Amino acid sequence: MSGSRDIRQERFLREAVVEYHGRLMHWADALVEFLAERFREQGVSHVVVNGGLSVSGLQHVGRLRGEIIIGDVVARLLSEKGFTVEQKLTLYTQDAWKGKASQRKQFSDPEEAKRYTGWPLIRVPDPLGELPSWVDRYWKDFGPFINEFTWGRVEVVTTTDMYRGKLKEFVKLSIEKREEIRRIINKYRGRKPYPEGWIPFEPRCSRCGRIDRTVALEADLPAEKVRYRCRSCGNEDWAPLWDGKLNWRIEWVGVWWALGVKFEPYGKDHATPGGSRDSANELAEKVYGLRPPEGLPYEWVAMRTPDGREQDMSSSDFVGFTPREWLEVAEPELFRFLVLRTPPMRKLVVGLHEVPLYYDWYYRAERVYYGRESTGKKSEDLLLARSYELSYTEQVPPREMPAQPPYTHLAILAQVVPRELWESEAVKRLVASGHLPENPDEASLQRVKRLLPRAYRWAQLYAPEQLRIRLLESLPGEIVERVPDEYRELLARLGDVLAGLEQWSEEAIKKAMIEFTRGWEGSRRRRFYHYLYLVFLGRESGPRAAPLFSLLPRSYVVERLRGLRR
RNA sequence: GGGCCGGUAGCUCAGCCAGGCAGAGCGGCGGGCUUUUAACCCGUUGGUCCCGGGUUCAAAUCCCGGCCGGCCCGCCA
């Protein structure tokens, strides 16, 4: 490979902050520095960044890391250096559906779904029978959200479309050069070498639909078709050059060739020296005279579940969660931040139940970025500040640091304040509690507006029981039974007091309650509050009572309390 | 057979490249905020730096050899 350094040995793949050309840098900056040098040497000024993924099942957030976000950051930083850039994402929709148990399970009749085994993904039906295909089904929770995680310039292409266009020319070229190709590929296929006369194209069988079991027998290039035999059903037929696929190594080169790719990261499954990426590079150079794109090996993303177990996310095994699920409970910038603070070859572990923790980290990085705080270490400050800065997609961080309302606080608030009051009452209370400044700036308000619905959703879906608050609409008998007579009377009397208040305000309620419990022993007060929460929330603790009551109709509060009287 | 990442406080991790008093956040515990909290404030607790050897005045850090955990590739994509 033209004698230049192998990126796999670079420190910036493993260390978050590195010294590069004598300067301390964020790994992403060092990477781009590295790439810019290569491109200048090659006389490349227009850079096509590509990512690739096969829609074999669940499109989890791990796919965002290497194939989209890293590419996005590289494209953005290269353009700041004066390069023109494009970003593509190639969907391998012609790949064969493997028919793994986990894939078949998506269908109501997994047994019957066996018949799709070996079909191109794009032709496998939607398991739910609503969308045109399997691809559409699983692209649904991923594709539409790419823009939120990026600059919004990612152009999606499918190999299915490409075979009808530019890749068809590449197929012809490959059939012409089949002997050269065979010689190289067979180096990697010791035990199963392709025989002499092998044609590097696998058509889709017109009878059984499989794309993974056919052997091309002869090619008619002017007519753009090949004759084949299906090793699965025995069918022999002619197929057009667009209705099939190339052996994957060749296809990969074809994508580079068709799109003019100059940079494409690759997952750890392709990163072994002498492995798939290296062999594709060799094909590109020796057969097609094509300079292979610059690459970047990256680790996958694993998922941590609340019980502490972790597992690599896997598309075809349906392990992980999707960008849509992430956006339900957190902002896209937060995910970018996690990706950016982790060097590419280190595993990134995420769990949706840990979102509040990630916001703690993010806020800290934000304070460092705005110079409000320091970790005491130059390299750590640099990592946090730069990761924070690059976490922004279209915009840059605001001039003034936004307020940092703690995520769990918002989760509680959102459950206590009715949804229609989030922009009024919830904001008011955040100001009162000091989580928002007196006259909140736009960025702070935006953050609260974006986070309240997300924190609410998070509380419903992933929060521990302790943080989940739900008002009891009616009072179940078994809860009443748990309240001793003495306290039932006390609570009912509190109801009387509240009923007589001139004003139904937080302040008035708080005063009344303090007055009501004045002089009580600690244990009595504690038990009183426990039963108070019990009859409203079904548990023994909750958010501060006065602010909570002030948001509820007085009649509801009073009736609940008085209803306890024997 | 080959390759990658990790092992430091109960948990999540920083520190290692470039050796110099073992750190942060969270948790726990105690206290405060006139009940509570994965809110806020103050204080406090906490370690065989995986093991063994080597280099060194000095090793979590460098070198050698192991062990453990997670993962990838071995001609599918």
Side-chain angles (χ1 to χ4, degrees):
Chain A
M1 257 181 295
S2 37
S4 49
R5 273 185 309 179
D6 186 336
I7 194 170
R8 281 173 294 215
Q9 282 147 29
E10 292 297 321
R11 279 186 65 83
F12 57 72
L13 299 180
R14 296 166 178 85
E15 303 291 335
V17 175
V18 293
E19 191 173 309
Y20 199 80
H21 293 338
R23 277 171 44 223
L24 214 53
M25 281 188 212
H26 188 284
W27 66 262
D29 290 309
L31 164 65
V32 170
E33 202 61 43
F34 176 94
L35 293 174
E37 283 159 30
R38 293 276 182 108
F39 291 141
R40 286 193 200 107
E41 280 165 25
Q42 297 162 24
V44 170
S45 61
H46 180 72
V47 178
V48 178
V49 171
N50 186 40
L53 42 92
S54 116
V55 191
S56 50
L58 180 81
Q59 296 302 296
H60 52 76
V61 295
R63 305 280 214 191
L64 287 173
R65 182 191 196 179
E67 306 301 335
I68 294 173
I69 293 177
I70 290 178
D72 169 271
V73 170
V74 164
R76 172 172 162 185
L77 295 180
L78 280 175
S79 82
E80 282 175 11
K81 285 184 179 293
F83 292 86
T84 55
V85 293
E86 281 176 75
Q87 189 176 0
K88 311 266 188 193
L89 179 66
T90 304
L91 263 45
Y92 289 84
T93 47
Q94 288 294 98
D95 285 11
W97 189 73
K98 302 256 175 69
K100 289 168 83 166
S102 51
Q103 290 173 313
R104 281 189 272 121
K105 253 191 8 220
Q106 304 302 312
F107 290 85
S108 58
D109 185 348
E111 208 41 44
E112 205 255 326
K114 273 188 179 161
R115 67 195 204 89
Y116 308 127
T117 304
W119 286 23
L121 292 167
I122 196 75
R123 287 184 174 261
V124 175
D126 170 17
L128 302 185
E130 293 162 359
L131 301 173
S133 78
W134 172 275
V135 170
D136 296 283
R137 166 58 52 194
Y138 297 103
W139 191 241
K140 192 167 161 280
D141 284 351
F142 190 99
F145 304 100
I146 292 174
N147 282 349
E148 300 200 43
F149 288 91
T150 63
W151 257 10
R153 301 178 192 175
V154 179
E155 190 193 332
V156 177
V157 295
T158 68
T159 50
T160 304
D161 289 344
M162 288 170 77
Y163 275 108
R164 289 175 178 270
K166 271 204 141 172
L167 269 188
K168 196 168 67 185
E169 296 312 309
F170 186 82
V171 171
K172 287 193 202 169
L173 182 62
S174 302
I175 292 176
E176 281 165 8
K177 292 178 176 272
R178 58 182 181 269
E179 266 311 298
E180 284 173 69
I181 295 172
R182 193 175 72 93
R183 218 175 314 123
I184 290 172
I185 290 194
N186 276 351
K187 288 198 304 193
Y188 298 95
R189 298 174 60 94
R191 258 170 277 146
K192 292 200 283 183
Y194 287 123
E196 214 165 316
W198 167 77
I199 296 169
F201 184 72
E202 298 171 24
R204 185 178 64 91
C205 174
S206 59
R207 184 154 78 191
C208 71
R210 294 188 73 133
I211 199 172
D212 63 339
R213 304 281 294 158
T214 56
V215 183
L217 305 171
E218 65 178 297
D220 182 346
L221 289 185
E224 301 189 337
K225 55 187 190 177
V226 293
R227 193 166 67 82
Y228 66 91
R229 188 179 62 250
C230 178
R231 286 179 295 150
S232 182
C233 73
N235 183 35
E236 268 191 41
D237 200 354
W238 285 86
L241 279 189
W242 52 264
D243 196 7
K245 79 189 296 295
L246 290 162
N247 168 287
W248 64 277
R249 286 178 219 268
I250 311 169
E251 185 179 67
W252 205 356
V253 178
V255 169
W256 296 341
W257 182 87
L259 301 177
V261 178
K262 294 285 184 274
F263 173 70
E264 182 173 324
Y266 46 95
K268 64 174 168 184
D269 49 339
H270 296 298
T272 301
S276 51
R277 176 69 179 230
D278 285 351
S279 62
N281 284 359
E282 186 180 348
L283 271 181
E285 283 191 321
K286 294 196 179 150
V287 178
Y288 302 92
L290 184 71
R291 180 169 194 121
E294 298 301 321
L296 170 85
Y298 65 91
E299 247 291 350
W300 292 348
V301 175
M303 179 167 75
R304 181 155 39 229
T305 43
D307 59 17
R309 286 180 314 124
E310 61 186 58
Q311 201 182 351
D312 278 355
M313 292 196 183
S314 161
S315 182
S316 59
D317 291 327
F318 292 82
V319 176
F321 52 84
T322 63
R324 185 188 61 73
E325 290 176 290
W326 174 269
L327 293 174
E328 264 190 309
V329 298
E331 296 162 290
E333 289 81 4
L334 186 66
F335 188 74
R336 285 173 64 93
F337 173 71
L338 296 179
V339 168
L340 284 161
R341 72 198 272 281
T342 311
M345 282 180 74
R346 285 266 274 272
K347 184 163 67 177
L348 172 60
V349 187
V350 286
L352 288 172
H353 62 289
E354 289 179 329
V355 162
L357 175 63
Y358 305 152
Y359 267 103
D360 282 350
W361 296 346
Y362 191 59
Y363 285 164
R364 179 155 194 245
E366 187 171 66
R367 294 193 297 274
V368 170
Y369 173 80
Y370 285 98
R372 304 284 185 90
E373 192 176 311
S374 168
T375 62
K377 296 204 164 119
K378 222 165 70 180
S379 60
E380 184 72 5
D381 281 0
L382 188 146
L383 173 67
L384 293 180
R386 186 64 170 151
S387 299
Y388 171 79
E389 184 176 29
L390 292 176
S391 78
Y392 278 73
T393 51
E394 283 136 285
Q395 288 132 16
V396 291
R399 190 183 302 273
E400 299 290 331
M401 188 178 93
Q404 304 187 326
Y407 189 88
T408 48
H409 187 81
L410 294 175
I412 291 173
L413 194 62
Q415 293 175 88
V416 168
V417 178
R419 182 175 298 261
E420 59 274 15
L421 298 181
W422 281 352
E423 296 199 11
S424 51
E425 184 62 31
V427 167
K428 219 167 81 192
R429 289 184 51 177
L430 285 168
V431 172
S433 60
H435 290 111
L436 276 179
E438 282 295 339
N439 294 304
D441 53 289
E442 196 47 38
S444 301
L445 282 176
Q446 276 305 323
R447 174 170 283 169
V448 168
K449 268 163 71 173
R450 291 174 81 189
L451 247 33
L452 276 171
R454 288 176 160 93
Y456 178 81
R457 194 81 182 118
W458 178 82
Q460 287 183 318
L461 296 173
Y462 310 111
E465 199 50 49
Q466 201 181 8
L467 230 59
R468 226 170 287 163
I469 295 162
R470 201 171 48 84
L471 284 169
L472 298 173
E473 287 186 25
S474 61
L475 191 55
E478 69 260 26
I479 284 186
V480 181
E481 292 308 311
R482 284 166 62 185
V483 186
D485 285 352
E486 180 194 355
Y487 288 93
R488 288 173 66 167
E489 179 55 28
L490 282 172
L491 289 166
R493 258 193 258 159
L494 175 65
D496 297 337
V497 170
L498 295 181
L501 285 181
E502 274 180 37
Q503 256 194 339
W504 190 246
S505 69
E506 177 177 336
E507 199 48 37
I509 297 168
K510 187 174 143 200
K511 263 191 177 156
M513 293 186 68
I514 290 169
E515 187 57 37
F516 189 75
T517 59
R518 186 180 299 282
W520 289 12
E521 253 176 61
S523 69
R524 188 184 200 204
R525 183 181 286 148
R526 198 160 25 249
R527 293 186 72 195
F528 175 77
Y529 273 99
H530 283 176
Y531 294 125
L532 179 70
Y533 285 113
L534 193 63
V535 300
F536 280 96
L537 304 174
R539 18 177 284 204
E540 296 189 339
S541 65
R544 290 171 184 277
L548 172 63
F549 288 167
S550 73
L551 292 164
L552 304 172
R554 188 201 300 225
S555 57
Y556 166 84
V557 175
V558 169
E559 275 164 34
R560 173 66 46 91
L561 292 171
R562 281 177 166 169
L564 291 163
R565 184 167 276 138
R566 283 243 183 237

